[in-house]
Amino acid sequence: MKKADVVVIGGSAAGLVAGISCHRRYPEKHVLLIRKEEQVLVPCGIPYIFGTLGSPEKDLIPDALLSNNGIELVKDEVVDVDRAKKTVAVKGGQEVAYDKLILATGSSPIRLPIAGSDKRNVFVVSKEVAYLNDMLAAVNEAKDIVIIGGGFIGVEFADECKKGRDANVSIIEALPHCLQLALDTEFCVEAESILTERGVRLFTERRVEAILGDDQVSGVRLSSGEEIKADVVIMGVGAVPNVALANTIGLQTGTSRAVEVDNYMRTLSDPNIFACGDVAEKRSFFTGRCSAIMLASVATAEARIAGANAFRTCCRNLGEIGVWSTIVGERAFACA
Ligand SMILES: Cc1cc2nc3c(=O)[nH]c(=O)nc-3n(C[C@H](O)[C@H](O)[C@H](O)COP(=O)(O)OP(=O)(O)OC[C@H]3O[C@@H](n4cnc5c(N)ncnc54)[C@H](O)[C@@H]3O)c2cc1C
């Protein structure tokens, strides 16, 4: 059986940084990272694939980051963990023994359970290269693009979809303003006016009640009764932690249904298993209360702590501070 001192599950923002942090703190230890994907995207760059970058292949994290840091990479899916024997099993049949395990299985986008959400050309914001290539092909063909959700992801997608395309782009947002969960109203209004100047149509204080069409989407119906044409619908409405594996192996989850960890990023259920990134439960630095924020900046901060604490508790997580920034048109917006 293959053996490693540390096995990291997940190779995106959290897994990658946890592996590097662990290797730097304990260079004598063998770190092995297992991830499902052939190639990993820079998640924050995904909206820019649809305008500025032009393809998912221009938004990849090079695997050299792993090899340059002495981390062994296995491309496979972890399907089980035997906590008593301290082994992980991958889909390909192999087993790997570990001393410490770092769970960084991340999150998956939410597909709203509204009528018609399973129609062709209704997309969520996945982090997979093949899926995004299909989505890009559909966006390139589209005359009418509807984006559900006016948060950062929806706004970035709208702005990028307008670049170099003559398509009609609309954002449907349930709140009175786009970006309202993060920014004060005056900044939301400023961002909205830039979007409008760039030709993006905004439908705030409205929800999508149904996605219309036969096999393929042809439009959406709003709570106001309005119908908007759509060849492509993009849902940018948040994500849920990938806890299937954690649930299978009996790791305790918390209020936000993510894996419960202590201040050292150790899971509450098993001192040999750490969790970090979108899959780990978070507490606000300011209030100490549970927070459902999912950000790469937070994921990588937690990952540094998890990796450093693998064999000796030396770093403490004091809670998360959500830091956002984006560009709409030529104007940068940021807040913490
Ligand atoms: C479009 C978009 C834009 C964003 N923009 C920003 C931004 O500007 N700033 C910011 O701070 N954050 C941003 N975020 C959020 C940020 O991307 C996430 O917080 C970050 O990706 C979390 O990293 P993670 O490693 O925890 O999880 P993920 O990125 O979800 O990665 C999880 C990894 O685990 C792997 N995995 C899961 N299960 C298994 C298994 N059983 N076996 C093997 N591998 C497995 C997955 O395949 C994946 O590689 C954005 C997110 C999206 C979707």
Side-chain angles (χ1 to χ4, degrees):
M1 185 192 302
K2 210 173 174 64
K3 280 190 182 156
D5 297 307
V6 180
V7 169
V8 180
I9 308 176
S12 180
L16 178 64
V17 173
I20 293 173
S21 161
C22 190
H23 169 74
R24 289 191 180 159
R25 185 72 61 152
Y26 311 102
E28 71 288 1
K29 301 289 186 188
H30 174 203
V31 180
L32 181 143
L33 184 146
I34 308 174
R35 68 160 201 242
K36 282 195 284 197
E37 304 93 339
E38 187 54 37
Q39 296 167 300
V40 177
L41 290 152
V42 179
C44 311
I46 290 171
Y48 301 93
I49 291 169
F50 292 79
T52 308
L53 295 176
S55 84
E57 286 72 18
K58 292 192 178 147
D59 185 42
L60 295 174
I61 301 178
D63 284 346
L65 272 176
L66 294 169
S67 49
N68 291 347
N69 282 285
I71 300 167
E72 184 181 349
L73 170 63
V74 170
K75 294 180 187 175
D76 209 327
E77 180 177 349
V78 174
V79 288
D80 202 5
V81 177
D82 186 326
R83 285 169 48 198
K85 289 197 201 140
K86 294 174 79 175
T87 57
V88 305
V90 297
K91 212 174 189 172
Q94 200 181 13
E95 283 194 18
V96 185
Y98 66 84
D99 190 6
K100 305 289 175 183
L101 185 67
I102 301 180
L103 193 69
T105 51
S107 61
S108 296
I110 294 171
R111 184 174 284 268
L112 290 174
I114 43 183
S117 66
D118 55 348
K119 292 193 190 303
R120 191 145 43 88
N121 280 5
V122 178
F123 295 96
V124 292
V125 183
S126 154
K127 298 174 203 137
E128 288 165 29
V129 172
Y131 185 94
L132 290 170
N133 266 318
D134 290 346
M135 187 168 163
L136 180 61
V139 165
N140 284 339
E141 293 286 307
K143 287 262 170 288
D144 297 281
I145 301 168
V146 165
I147 295 165
I148 306 179
F152 275 103
I153 291 176
V155 164
E156 287 174 358
F157 260 92
D159 203 28
E160 289 296 308
C161 284
K162 278 308 261 182
K163 289 185 182 164
R165 285 189 196 88
D166 196 18
N168 299 311
V169 177
S170 307
I171 296 179
I172 321 298
E173 167 55 52
L175 294 173
H177 293 287
C178 292
L179 302 175
Q180 196 170 344
L181 289 179
L183 300 180
D184 289 343
T185 303
E186 62 186 294
F187 298 113
C188 299
V189 170
E190 189 168 341
E192 285 173 340
S193 79
I194 298 170
L195 286 168
T196 310
E197 274 164 31
R198 292 166 73 80
V200 177
R201 297 192 302 164
L202 304 179
F203 296 83
T204 52
E205 291 189 270
R206 276 159 277 192
R207 293 171 182 276
V208 173
E209 285 198 338
I211 296 178
L212 312 171
D214 296 325
D215 285 353
Q216 182 167 323
V217 58
S218 62
V220 297
R221 189 171 61 244
L222 307 187
S223 45
S224 55
E226 293 156 285
E227 288 191 5
I228 305 173
K229 275 176 72 180
D231 313 304
V232 164
V233 169
I234 299 170
M235 292 189 185
V237 290
V240 285
N242 290 330
V243 286
L245 181 64
N247 287 338
T248 306
I249 65 174
L251 298 182
Q252 186 182 326
T253 52
T255 319
S256 68
R257 294 203 274 143
V259 176
E260 284 268 33
V261 287
D262 63 14
N263 288 338
Y264 302 99
M265 305 313 298
R266 281 179 307 213
T267 60
L268 296 194
S269 314
D270 189 329
N272 292 311
I273 303 184
F274 295 71
C276 54
D278 287 358
V279 77
E281 183 97 335
K282 315 206 175 311
R283 308 231 161 256
S284 160
F285 171 80
F286 299 104
T287 65
R289 281 198 227 113
C290 170
S291 148
I293 280 178
M294 291 183 185
L295 286 169
S297 49
V298 172
T300 48
E302 291 178 352
R304 275 185 211 103
I305 295 169
N309 286 342
F311 295 96
R312 193 175 57 247
T313 47
C314 51
C315 298
R316 210 161 151 245
N317 184 4
L318 299 177
E320 69 156 21
I321 300 178
V323 178
W324 292 273
S325 65
T326 193
I327 289 185
V328 185
E330 303 295 316
R331 177 66 51 89
F333 293 85
C335 68

